mmCIF file of all heavy atoms in Angstrom:
data_model
loop_
_atom_site.group_PDB
_atom_site.id
_atom_site.type_symbol
_atom_site.label_atom_id
_atom_site.label_comp_id
_atom_site.label_asym_id
_atom_site.label_seq_id
_atom_site.Cartn_x
_atom_site.Cartn_y
_atom_site.Cartn_z
ATOM 1 N N GLU G 156 100.184 62.973 157.366
ATOM 2 C CA GLU G 156 100.206 62.060 156.224
ATOM 3 C C GLU G 156 101.375 61.085 156.322
ATOM 4 O O GLU G 156 101.251 59.908 155.950
ATOM 5 C CB GLU G 156 100.275 62.847 154.913
ATOM 6 C CG GLU G 156 98.989 63.577 154.572
ATOM 7 C CD GLU G 156 99.030 64.199 153.183
ATOM 8 O OE1 GLU G 156 100.008 63.983 152.437
ATOM 9 O OE2 GLU G 156 98.065 64.909 152.847
ATOM 10 N N ALA G 157 102.498 61.559 156.830
ATOM 11 C CA ALA G 157 103.645 60.672 157.012
ATOM 12 C C ALA G 157 103.310 59.573 158.014
ATOM 13 O O ALA G 157 103.670 58.398 157.816
ATOM 14 C CB ALA G 157 104.858 61.466 157.476
ATOM 15 N N THR G 158 102.618 59.935 159.098
ATOM 16 C CA THR G 158 102.226 58.945 160.100
ATOM 17 C C THR G 158 101.289 57.911 159.496
ATOM 18 O O THR G 158 101.435 56.701 159.728
ATOM 19 C CB THR G 158 101.562 59.631 161.307
ATOM 20 O OG1 THR G 158 102.472 60.591 161.860
ATOM 21 C CG2 THR G 158 101.189 58.612 162.371
ATOM 22 N N ALA G 159 100.321 58.377 158.705
ATOM 23 C CA ALA G 159 99.391 57.458 158.052
ATOM 24 C C ALA G 159 100.139 56.516 157.107
ATOM 25 O O ALA G 159 99.828 55.318 157.024
ATOM 26 C CB ALA G 159 98.324 58.243 157.298
ATOM 27 N N GLN G 160 101.129 57.042 156.404
ATOM 28 C CA GLN G 160 101.920 56.224 155.483
ATOM 29 C C GLN G 160 102.724 55.168 156.239
ATOM 30 O O GLN G 160 102.784 54.000 155.835
ATOM 31 C CB GLN G 160 102.845 57.125 154.668
ATOM 32 C CG GLN G 160 103.574 56.443 153.530
ATOM 33 C CD GLN G 160 104.373 57.451 152.729
ATOM 34 O OE1 GLN G 160 105.455 57.852 153.135
ATOM 35 N NE2 GLN G 160 103.833 57.877 151.586
ATOM 36 N N LEU G 161 103.338 55.565 157.351
ATOM 37 C CA LEU G 161 104.110 54.624 158.151
ATOM 38 C C LEU G 161 103.210 53.522 158.704
ATOM 39 O O LEU G 161 103.570 52.336 158.693
ATOM 40 C CB LEU G 161 104.815 55.355 159.293
ATOM 41 C CG LEU G 161 105.783 54.500 160.117
ATOM 42 C CD1 LEU G 161 107.053 54.201 159.324
ATOM 43 C CD2 LEU G 161 106.145 55.206 161.423
ATOM 44 N N ARG G 162 102.041 53.898 159.166
ATOM 45 C CA ARG G 162 101.100 52.910 159.711
ATOM 46 C C ARG G 162 100.662 51.931 158.636
ATOM 47 O O ARG G 162 100.510 50.728 158.896
ATOM 48 C CB ARG G 162 99.899 53.609 160.334
ATOM 49 C CG ARG G 162 100.229 54.419 161.562
ATOM 50 C CD ARG G 162 99.023 55.067 162.204
ATOM 51 N NE ARG G 162 98.282 54.125 163.029
ATOM 52 C CZ ARG G 162 97.646 54.467 164.148
ATOM 53 N NH1 ARG G 162 97.653 55.721 164.562
ATOM 54 N NH2 ARG G 162 96.998 53.572 164.836
ATOM 55 N N LEU G 163 100.469 52.411 157.427
ATOM 56 C CA LEU G 163 100.079 51.534 156.332
ATOM 57 C C LEU G 163 101.175 50.508 156.057
ATOM 58 O O LEU G 163 100.900 49.333 155.776
ATOM 59 C CB LEU G 163 99.798 52.355 155.078
ATOM 60 C CG LEU G 163 99.317 51.578 153.847
ATOM 61 C CD1 LEU G 163 97.970 50.913 154.120
ATOM 62 C CD2 LEU G 163 99.205 52.513 152.633
ATOM 63 N N THR G 164 102.435 50.935 156.157
ATOM 64 C CA THR G 164 103.564 50.042 155.877
ATOM 65 C C THR G 164 103.784 49.031 156.985
ATOM 66 O O THR G 164 104.084 47.862 156.721
ATOM 67 C CB THR G 164 104.849 50.877 155.681
ATOM 68 O OG1 THR G 164 104.647 51.811 154.619
ATOM 69 C CG2 THR G 164 106.035 49.983 155.352
ATOM 70 N N TYR G 165 103.594 49.435 158.251
ATOM 71 C CA TYR G 165 104.015 48.595 159.372
ATOM 72 C C TYR G 165 102.889 48.164 160.313
ATOM 73 O O TYR G 165 103.159 47.514 161.320
ATOM 74 C CB TYR G 165 105.072 49.336 160.199
ATOM 75 C CG TYR G 165 106.408 49.464 159.521
ATOM 76 C CD1 TYR G 165 106.812 50.670 158.952
ATOM 77 C CD2 TYR G 165 107.282 48.385 159.444
ATOM 78 C CE1 TYR G 165 108.043 50.792 158.320
ATOM 79 C CE2 TYR G 165 108.510 48.491 158.823
ATOM 80 C CZ TYR G 165 108.888 49.701 158.261
ATOM 81 O OH TYR G 165 110.104 49.822 157.645
ATOM 82 N N SER G 166 101.639 48.480 160.012
ATOM 83 C CA SER G 166 100.563 48.169 160.954
ATOM 84 C C SER G 166 100.424 46.670 161.207
ATOM 85 O O SER G 166 100.093 46.247 162.321
ATOM 86 C CB SER G 166 99.236 48.749 160.467
ATOM 87 O OG SER G 166 98.902 48.228 159.190
ATOM 88 N N VAL G 167 100.678 45.839 160.186
ATOM 89 C CA VAL G 167 100.585 44.391 160.386
ATOM 90 C C VAL G 167 101.712 43.897 161.290
ATOM 91 O O VAL G 167 101.521 42.993 162.107
ATOM 92 C CB VAL G 167 100.621 43.663 159.022
ATOM 93 C CG1 VAL G 167 100.697 42.152 159.218
ATOM 94 C CG2 VAL G 167 99.385 44.030 158.202
ATOM 95 N N ALA G 168 102.884 44.520 161.161
ATOM 96 C CA ALA G 168 104.038 44.097 161.960
ATOM 97 C C ALA G 168 103.955 44.587 163.395
ATOM 98 O O ALA G 168 104.481 43.922 164.298
ATOM 99 C CB ALA G 168 105.323 44.611 161.314
ATOM 100 N N TRP G 169 103.333 45.742 163.612
ATOM 101 C CA TRP G 169 103.317 46.347 164.942
ATOM 102 C C TRP G 169 101.887 46.641 165.385
ATOM 103 O O TRP G 169 101.506 47.804 165.603
ATOM 104 C CB TRP G 169 104.130 47.648 164.938
ATOM 105 C CG TRP G 169 105.559 47.482 164.508
ATOM 106 C CD1 TRP G 169 106.346 46.385 164.643
ATOM 107 C CD2 TRP G 169 106.378 48.478 163.874
ATOM 108 N NE1 TRP G 169 107.604 46.622 164.134
ATOM 109 C CE2 TRP G 169 107.651 47.898 163.649
ATOM 110 C CE3 TRP G 169 106.155 49.795 163.456
ATOM 111 C CZ2 TRP G 169 108.693 48.596 163.035
ATOM 112 C CZ3 TRP G 169 107.195 50.487 162.854
ATOM 113 C CH2 TRP G 169 108.450 49.888 162.652
ATOM 114 N N PRO G 170 101.059 45.633 165.528
ATOM 115 C CA PRO G 170 99.676 45.884 165.937
ATOM 116 C C PRO G 170 99.601 46.364 167.380
ATOM 117 O O PRO G 170 100.445 46.033 168.210
ATOM 118 C CB PRO G 170 99.014 44.508 165.784
ATOM 119 C CG PRO G 170 100.139 43.534 165.948
ATOM 120 C CD PRO G 170 101.339 44.197 165.350
ATOM 121 N N GLY G 171 98.568 47.162 167.640
ATOM 122 C CA GLY G 171 98.296 47.556 169.013
ATOM 123 C C GLY G 171 99.098 48.722 169.545
ATOM 124 O O GLY G 171 98.973 49.063 170.721
ATOM 125 N N LEU G 172 99.920 49.373 168.698
ATOM 126 C CA LEU G 172 100.674 50.531 169.184
ATOM 127 C C LEU G 172 99.734 51.716 169.396
ATOM 128 O O LEU G 172 98.765 51.909 168.664
ATOM 129 C CB LEU G 172 101.761 50.926 168.176
ATOM 130 C CG LEU G 172 102.878 49.923 167.896
ATOM 131 C CD1 LEU G 172 103.906 50.552 166.967
ATOM 132 C CD2 LEU G 172 103.531 49.445 169.181
ATOM 133 N N SER G 173 100.058 52.537 170.370
ATOM 134 C CA SER G 173 99.254 53.738 170.628
ATOM 135 C C SER G 173 99.526 54.794 169.565
ATOM 136 O O SER G 173 100.553 54.758 168.864
ATOM 137 C CB SER G 173 99.609 54.313 172.001
ATOM 138 O OG SER G 173 100.945 54.809 171.998
ATOM 139 N N ASP G 174 98.614 55.758 169.453
ATOM 140 C CA ASP G 174 98.828 56.873 168.527
ATOM 141 C C ASP G 174 100.114 57.610 168.868
ATOM 142 O O ASP G 174 100.857 58.034 167.966
ATOM 143 C CB ASP G 174 97.646 57.841 168.591
ATOM 144 C CG ASP G 174 96.374 57.260 167.993
ATOM 145 O OD1 ASP G 174 96.460 56.247 167.256
ATOM 146 O OD2 ASP G 174 95.295 57.816 168.267
ATOM 147 N N GLU G 175 100.388 57.744 170.160
ATOM 148 C CA GLU G 175 101.594 58.453 170.591
ATOM 149 C C GLU G 175 102.848 57.722 170.122
ATOM 150 O O GLU G 175 103.823 58.341 169.701
ATOM 151 C CB GLU G 175 101.612 58.600 172.110
ATOM 152 C CG GLU G 175 100.549 59.531 172.684
ATOM 153 C CD GLU G 175 99.154 58.928 172.685
ATOM 154 O OE1 GLU G 175 99.019 57.688 172.560
ATOM 155 O OE2 GLU G 175 98.192 59.709 172.802
ATOM 156 N N ARG G 176 102.813 56.388 170.204
ATOM 157 C CA ARG G 176 103.988 55.617 169.767
ATOM 158 C C ARG G 176 104.188 55.728 168.264
ATOM 159 O O ARG G 176 105.327 55.843 167.796
ATOM 160 C CB ARG G 176 103.825 54.152 170.182
ATOM 161 C CG ARG G 176 105.045 53.270 169.836
ATOM 162 C CD ARG G 176 106.284 53.718 170.583
ATOM 163 N NE ARG G 176 107.396 52.790 170.386
ATOM 164 C CZ ARG G 176 108.633 53.164 170.065
ATOM 165 N NH1 ARG G 176 108.914 54.451 169.907
ATOM 166 N NH2 ARG G 176 109.593 52.273 169.935
ATOM 167 N N TRP G 177 103.097 55.725 167.490
ATOM 168 C CA TRP G 177 103.231 55.915 166.046
ATOM 169 C C TRP G 177 103.831 57.284 165.725
ATOM 170 O O TRP G 177 104.653 57.427 164.822
ATOM 171 C CB TRP G 177 101.877 55.760 165.351
ATOM 172 C CG TRP G 177 101.449 54.339 165.163
ATOM 173 C CD1 TRP G 177 100.440 53.679 165.794
ATOM 174 C CD2 TRP G 177 102.048 53.373 164.276
ATOM 175 N NE1 TRP G 177 100.364 52.379 165.367
ATOM 176 C CE2 TRP G 177 101.333 52.160 164.431
ATOM 177 C CE3 TRP G 177 103.112 53.414 163.375
ATOM 178 C CZ2 TRP G 177 101.653 51.009 163.709
ATOM 179 C CZ3 TRP G 177 103.428 52.273 162.653
ATOM 180 C CH2 TRP G 177 102.712 51.095 162.816
ATOM 181 N N GLU G 178 103.427 58.299 166.479
ATOM 182 C CA GLU G 178 103.971 59.641 166.252
ATOM 183 C C GLU G 178 105.459 59.687 166.601
ATOM 184 O O GLU G 178 106.237 60.395 165.947
ATOM 185 C CB GLU G 178 103.178 60.663 167.066
ATOM 186 C CG GLU G 178 101.762 60.873 166.525
ATOM 187 C CD GLU G 178 100.891 61.691 167.443
ATOM 188 O OE1 GLU G 178 101.409 62.191 168.470
ATOM 189 O OE2 GLU G 178 99.682 61.839 167.150
ATOM 190 N N GLU G 179 105.873 58.945 167.615
ATOM 191 C CA GLU G 179 107.310 58.853 167.921
ATOM 192 C C GLU G 179 108.057 58.155 166.784
ATOM 193 O O GLU G 179 109.118 58.612 166.349
ATOM 194 C CB GLU G 179 107.519 58.063 169.217
ATOM 195 C CG GLU G 179 107.056 58.764 170.475
ATOM 196 C CD GLU G 179 107.162 57.851 171.686
ATOM 197 O OE1 GLU G 179 107.535 56.655 171.517
ATOM 198 O OE2 GLU G 179 106.864 58.294 172.804
ATOM 199 N N LEU G 180 107.494 57.059 166.305
ATOM 200 C CA LEU G 180 108.162 56.274 165.274
ATOM 201 C C LEU G 180 108.304 57.034 163.965
ATOM 202 O O LEU G 180 109.312 56.893 163.261
ATOM 203 C CB LEU G 180 107.409 54.957 165.044
ATOM 204 C CG LEU G 180 107.546 53.920 166.160
ATOM 205 C CD1 LEU G 180 106.536 52.792 165.969
ATOM 206 C CD2 LEU G 180 108.960 53.361 166.201
ATOM 207 N N VAL G 181 107.300 57.840 163.632
ATOM 208 C CA VAL G 181 107.401 58.560 162.358
ATOM 209 C C VAL G 181 108.524 59.581 162.405
ATOM 210 O O VAL G 181 109.202 59.831 161.396
ATOM 211 C CB VAL G 181 106.050 59.208 161.979
ATOM 212 C CG1 VAL G 181 105.794 60.495 162.768
ATOM 213 C CG2 VAL G 181 105.992 59.487 160.479
#
Side-chain angles (χ1 to χ4, degrees):
E156 289 187 6
T158 302
Q160 189 176 79
L161 186 73
R162 293 182 80 146
L163 182 63
T164 302
Y165 289 104
S166 59
V167 173
W169 302 331
L172 296 185
S173 67
D174 290 344
E175 292 75 18
R176 183 63 173 132
W177 281 110
E178 290 170 5
E179 291 174 357
L180 288 168
V181 78

